[in-house]
Amino acid sequence: MADNPVIKMLGRRLRLGVIGGGPGSFIGEMHRSAARLDDRYELVAAALSSDPERSRSAGAGLGISSDRAYPNAVALLQAEAARSDGVDVVSIMTPNDSHHEYAAAALDLGFDVICDKPITNTLDEAIDLVKRVEQTGLIFCLTHNYTGYSLVRQAKAMVEDGQVGEVRLVQVEYVQGGKAGENDPDPADGLPWRYDPVRGGPSLVMGDIGTHAHNLARFITGLEVAQVAGEVGAIVPGRLVDDFAGALLRFDNGARGTFWVTQAAAGVENALRIRVSGTRGSLEWHQEQPMRLLLNPLDRPAEWRTPNGPGTLPLAARSTRIVAGHPEAFLEAFANIYSDAAEAIAARRSGNIPDPLALYFPNAVDGAIGLRFVQAVISSSQAGGVWTDATT
Ligand SMILES: NC(=O)c1ccc[n+]([C@@H]2O[C@H](COP(=O)([O-])OP(=O)(O)OC[C@H]3O[C@@H](n4cnc5c(N)ncnc54)[C@H](O)[C@@H]3O)[C@@H](O)[C@H]2O)c1
């Protein structure tokens, strides 16, 4: 990450506008820090809240000039499109129900887009964004940030390199405890967006973390889920939104898998884990110990891979910034997604060819495939757990 390909290609940083992620949002801070880490973006415009006054004042609080601290997203998009020094790329981190509207408007105005997951709340909306991306040729980066970890990329590269043989089994789980408490908001007081199916999407747990787990399995294995037999529901009695989902998986190469996600496991923090087993061995990675990737070969003792340690493959090597043994984690992984998207955007804007290894960030097609999976797991559950096609 020593070179700055954006400066090389454009002679300047990309101008970034952010929509959402204002006061109270954890992920907004992460996006802005990730964008800054490798110095490829300059944050010049923002619409940070649905409340116009809070939006303006939060933007000013970030040091955005007063004419570019906008009262809302539409004002940002229109005013920036009209400026000769307007933003190049718009990053969207608002509640799920507004992703489609803002992303579609941004693409129509010629902005490259970075958008948080889930891409949209419905498959139709996701497919619509895929079409707009195809028609415009613009870059669309979806922040499935766990695919930015150096050792997740190492795992992908090892699978591509044949080091585990043909993949036969995939076990992915994303277990959190944030909703283990049994006091949900009272609908009579107005629901926070995540608890409202119109705003949060058809399944709270699937939108929040199910899409991440599914994307991680696809990213590492390069396989697609062909069929699911699932159950979605609430562990906490009386809860009106989903707090768990489980599914048996059949992949397109015949591999079998399990998928388990919940936000109601008391005391668990952010336990995203994956095990991929092939004909030659198994790989295991756990987000809470992100500096260790375990390889269990079929016929040799177990081995660890570490960021930039022996055996590091090129995709992982370009995803670390410091020498082996120095911890890098969540923020750096998030920054890898931003920095790779920046390289692709700068290349597109300058007519250059990006490094092919910069093109592993998730995109609109990944988002649509994620929503297709969400839909299939819900449909299977509603039909009593029957095997359900996840490809259409
Ligand atoms: N990638 C990840 O790991 C990750 C983690 C958390 C959240 N997210 C995603 O980020 C998005 C936001 O989630 P959150 O947890 O930050 O929600 P949140 O409710 O904590 O914060 C949302 C922020 O956006 C602002 N906002 C709301 N509507 C807006 C609008 N129309 N225009 C401008 N600003 C607006 C709010 O004022 C608030 O500051 C969701 O899509 C969620 O799925 C992703």
Side-chain angles (χ1 to χ4, degrees), residues 18-28 31 47-51 54-55 71-73 92-99 102 116-118 143-146 174 193-194 199 207-208 212 330 334:
V18 292
I19 299 178
S25 160
F26 152 72
I27 212 66
H31 276 265
L48 294 163
S49 167
S50 54
D51 175 89
R54 275 164 62 103
S55 184
N72 59 58
I92 299 164
M93 57 211 80
T94 50
N96 303 346
D97 61 323
S98 52
H99 291 182
Y102 298 153
D116 217 319
K117 41 56 58 183
T143 51
H144 276 303
N145 42 294
Y146 296 104
Y174 197 160
W193 69 265
R194 274 192 168 80
R199 305 207 61 205
D208 262 10
H212 272 316
F330 187 87
F334 220 118

Side-chain angles (χ1 to χ4, degrees), residues 203-226:
S203 169
L204 193 162
V205 73
M206 288 297 284
D208 262 10
I209 59 175
T211 48
H212 272 316
H214 168 252
N215 184 258
L216 185 69
R218 292 180 57 240
F219 180 78
I220 292 179
T221 64
L223 301 175
E224 295 297 347
V225 176

Side-chain angles (χ1 to χ4, degrees), residues 225-271:
V225 176
Q227 289 181 301
V228 300
E231 185 187 16
V232 180
I235 289 167
V236 170
R239 177 164 276 167
L240 300 175
V241 290
D242 298 334
D243 61 20
F244 84 93
L248 293 175
L249 310 176
R250 290 177 177 160
F251 287 88
D252 54 357
N253 73 335
R256 297 298 197 259
T258 57
F259 165 92
W260 175 251
V261 295
T262 181
Q263 295 169 305
V268 180
E269 292 178 342
N270 199 48

